[in-house]
Amino acid sequence: MSRSTHPWHALLLAVLLLLAQAASAAGAPAGPLVGARWLLENREREGVLVLDASPPPMYAASHIPGAVSASFMAYGVEDPPPAQMQALFQGWGVSAGRKVVIYDQGDPMWAARLFFDLYRHGFPLADLYLLDGGLQQWQAAGGAVTKEATPAPPRGDFRVAAVREQERVRLPEVFVASGAPDRAALVEALDPAWHYGETAFFGRGGHIPNAIMLPAKDLHNADRTFKSPDEMRRMLAHLGVRPDRPVYTYCGGGVAAAVPWFALKFLLGYPDVRLYVGSALEWVRDDRGLPVWTWSAPQRLRDTAWVGTWGGRTMRMYGVSRMGVVDVRAPEAFAFGHVPFAANVPAAVFREHFASPEKLAAILAQAGVSATQEVVVDSGAGLDRDSALAALLLERLGVARVSVFRDSHEKAVKAGIALATEADAKKSPARPAAPWAAGARPDPVIADAAGGKGDAPRVFVAAGATMPARVPEGKVVHLPYADLVDAGGAPKPAKDLWKALAKAGVPRYAELVAFADDPGEAAVAWFALRLMGFPDVKVLAP
């Protein structure tokens, strides 16, 4: 019998494994996230302090026996000085060399925020833990609960010697990050109702410009444990939150933001993650009246004031205008009256050359359209099938920036824009052809419903009034394009668009492919989804 299969050898290995498991149970877990089983086996060991971070009413209703109530409500969002925080920590029994396990009972944000505050005030990471799944997992593992308040613990001796200021970010840095989304990611941990403006808790609904919505609950499983690192990495990659750039997390008052701060920093190893303690509360009450957005990409729409100013005669005369207008109406409608300096490329031309982008580019260049400037698409009816399709194909051709004129010509005239006519065009010099210097960007149009899939699951979005005759294989949701715009052709408010998307079952962490019998209808859905900040949206070629 070989030595490796000797029964005494197998018994020895089993004994060593049991000893290792016992040592692991008695010692500290690897990393700051601890499971309920470990806490069950170690809660009563000397040197383990359990802090319940839930609001006092929740603590009073049910908590782990021996847990000390350490609510965020004791200090709130005003960020007290270190001496006051030290007194609170000591009153909760926090001492040097003592292991601290934090949990909560409802929303995991409370425990994460207390973890942040202890860590920022210098408590050693090696002795600081978050209970994965909180009270729910404690009970699922067989742990008892009680309503009896824990007697005040002996006063702790932890002293705040130095504050880790690098863990928080302040308003000036957030302001810069908001204007430079290619350099830093501003992650909002609130739900869609807040992000899209339905909830206006501070009097102004919406989010900090260019913030990426990542609700804290999205990082958790149904049982409130954190999702696997691989799953969270896929989600973040889909949203464009990269580990090689700074990440600033925020929410309403700096509490929910602690969840992505903890997950990205300690579970995923992102090197530069900071929490904006002031969060939306500080942003909206700033005396400068800092902006908030409801749509995630409102710059995709241009109104009369924008077009009249930046596309007007004065800006063109001084050479500072960096935009052009493409009017996609029929030539006779264009001749009757159009936005000054617009080029007429009818929607029929875009439809005819859907499958021949090179020919379309040549036509646009001949019409004087520059790919290096912003191109505003004007259909005279806001966001409709013609303007959306033109926007889609212009983006496909690599135009620097593409937007849609959201106002009607009637509204533009009332606002003071004098429409040009065919007679005006004859008096003006001919528009010179523009060299077509397109930029490189991913193609938003796919020809094969089954090919070219990325890491995210692919979901098809049927955008017609009825389901098309030919439906691709795979998951399909129905989102009629007419549900996305109002009677005047303007996209519906962001809060209403979100309700329409949620009702249709459009997932956020997926590659979305809009399709319809009419590609213009699919393009409206594509445009609306991009307006709402969905990062990976395409159109299936007819």
Side-chain angles (χ1 to χ4, degrees):
M1 181 179 290
S2 66
R3 186 176 183 182
S4 62
T5 57
H6 194 283
W8 287 104
H9 182 67
L11 179 60
L12 178 60
L13 288 176
V15 171
L16 291 174
L17 178 60
L18 289 173
L19 290 174
Q21 291 173 340
S24 175
L33 191 64
V34 64
R37 177 57 57 185
W38 182 91
L39 185 59
L40 273 170
E41 296 172 352
N42 291 274
R43 176 175 62 91
E44 297 182 359
R45 290 175 58 85
E46 185 177 355
V48 175
L49 173 66
V50 180
L51 299 181
D52 187 323
S54 303
M58 299 180 72
Y59 173 85
S62 180
H63 58 269
I64 296 174
V68 176
S69 178
S71 172
F72 167 80
M73 301 299 184
Y75 52 98
V77 298
E78 296 302 328
D79 195 26
Q84 183 177 339
M85 294 301 292
Q86 176 180 288
L88 279 171
F89 296 153
Q90 291 180 350
W92 293 332
V94 178
S95 294
R98 192 173 189 185
K99 298 187 184 305
V100 175
V101 180
I102 307 171
Y103 79 98
D104 55 30
Q105 305 180 36
D107 198 318
M109 67 182 183
W110 303 108
R113 175 56 195 260
L114 181 55
F115 187 104
F116 168 82
D117 285 318
L118 274 165
Y119 180 74
R120 186 168 75 90
H121 286 88
F123 194 82
L125 182 62
D127 292 331
L128 189 59
Y129 305 99
L130 195 70
L131 178 60
D132 196 15
L135 188 68
Q136 178 172 310
Q137 284 303 296
W138 167 263
Q139 292 180 285
V145 295
T146 183
K147 294 183 179 180
E148 295 183 8
T150 300
R155 191 167 188 84
D157 60 13
F158 171 67
R159 300 185 65 82
V160 179
V163 178
R164 296 184 174 107
E165 284 297 334
Q166 70 274 16
E167 297 305 320
R168 67 176 294 179
V169 63
R170 297 183 182 271
L171 178 58
E173 296 168 283
V174 173
F175 184 85
V176 172
S178 173
D182 57 332
R183 298 181 183 177
L186 186 56
V187 172
E188 183 195 49
L190 297 170
D191 61 23
W194 188 298
H195 186 83
Y196 293 122
E198 183 174 14
T199 299
F201 192 75
F202 302 133
R204 297 171 64 198
H207 56 273
I208 297 175
N210 286 313
I212 299 170
M213 183 180 68
L214 178 64
K217 63 183 180 182
D218 285 8
L219 297 172
H220 291 95
N221 299 304
D223 63 1
R224 296 176 184 167
T225 59
F226 277 96
K227 291 180 177 178
S228 71
D230 286 344
E231 187 173 0
M232 288 191 287
R233 286 192 184 95
R234 285 193 295 269
M235 293 167 55
L236 291 163
H238 182 74
L239 297 176
V241 182
R242 297 165 37 176
D244 60 346
R245 294 175 181 172
V247 179
Y248 305 150
T249 68
Y250 87 97
C251 56
V255 182
V259 176
W261 171 84
F262 176 86
L264 271 65
K265 185 177 183 68
F266 297 111
L267 304 184
L268 303 183
Y270 275 48
D272 188 1
V273 187
R274 287 177 263 176
L275 193 153
Y276 179 26
V277 174
S279 281
L281 175 62
E282 181 180 45
W283 182 272
V284 300
R285 71 180 179 187
D286 187 271
D287 290 340
R288 293 167 291 182
L290 299 178
V292 292
W293 288 355
T294 53
W295 291 313
S296 291
Q299 69 277 10
R300 288 182 169 269
L301 293 169
R302 297 303 189 191
D303 59 13
T304 297
W306 176 276
V307 172
T309 299
W310 294 102
R313 186 176 301 278
T314 300
M315 293 299 184
R316 293 179 184 277
M317 181 174 64
Y318 286 102
V320 296
S321 176
R322 300 291 299 166
M323 61 156 285
V325 178
V326 171
D327 191 316
V328 298
R329 294 175 301 156
E332 55 272 19
F334 178 81
F336 184 76
H338 57 267
V339 173
F341 307 105
N344 185 214
V345 183
V349 174
F350 284 93
R351 291 177 181 276
E352 179 183 355
H353 296 288
F354 188 102
S356 52
E358 297 83 3
K359 292 182 180 179
L360 180 59
I363 293 170
L364 290 164
Q366 188 62 36
V369 180
S370 173
T372 62
Q373 298 183 354
E374 177 175 355
V375 176
V376 183
V377 181
D378 179 16
S379 70
L383 179 62
D384 61 6
R385 291 173 292 179
D386 290 343
S387 60
L389 183 63
L392 171 72
L393 298 184
L394 284 165
E395 187 157 314
R396 185 186 196 186
L397 291 174
V399 173
R401 175 175 288 180
V402 182
S403 55
V404 167
F405 186 43
R406 60 183 295 182
D407 293 335
S408 67
H409 287 177
E410 181 182 4
K411 184 175 182 179
V413 170
K414 288 181 178 179
I417 290 184
L419 298 182
T421 64
E422 184 177 26
D424 297 321
K426 290 180 179 179
K427 296 176 184 178
S428 302
R431 180 187 297 272
W436 193 264
R441 63 173 61 186
D443 192 341
V445 177
I446 63 172
D448 182 4
K453 294 182 179 179
D455 293 335
R458 176 172 288 179
V459 176
F460 294 96
V461 179
T466 59
M467 194 70 71
R470 297 175 57 190
V471 177
E473 292 186 6
K475 182 176 180 180
V476 178
V477 298
H478 189 204
L479 180 68
Y481 83 97
D483 291 352
L484 307 176
V485 295
D486 62 23
K492 289 184 177 179
K495 60 184 180 64
D496 294 331
L497 281 178
W498 174 256
K499 290 177 182 177
L501 299 177
K503 181 180 179 181
V506 178
R508 190 152 180 268
Y509 303 101
E511 175 194 19
L512 303 176
V513 180
F515 72 103
D517 292 331
D518 179 354
E521 296 177 348
V524 173
W526 166 82
F527 190 93
L529 287 164
R530 295 307 310 273
L531 186 66
M532 293 291 282
F534 283 72
D536 190 0
V537 190
K538 300 178 178 68
V539 168
L540 181 63

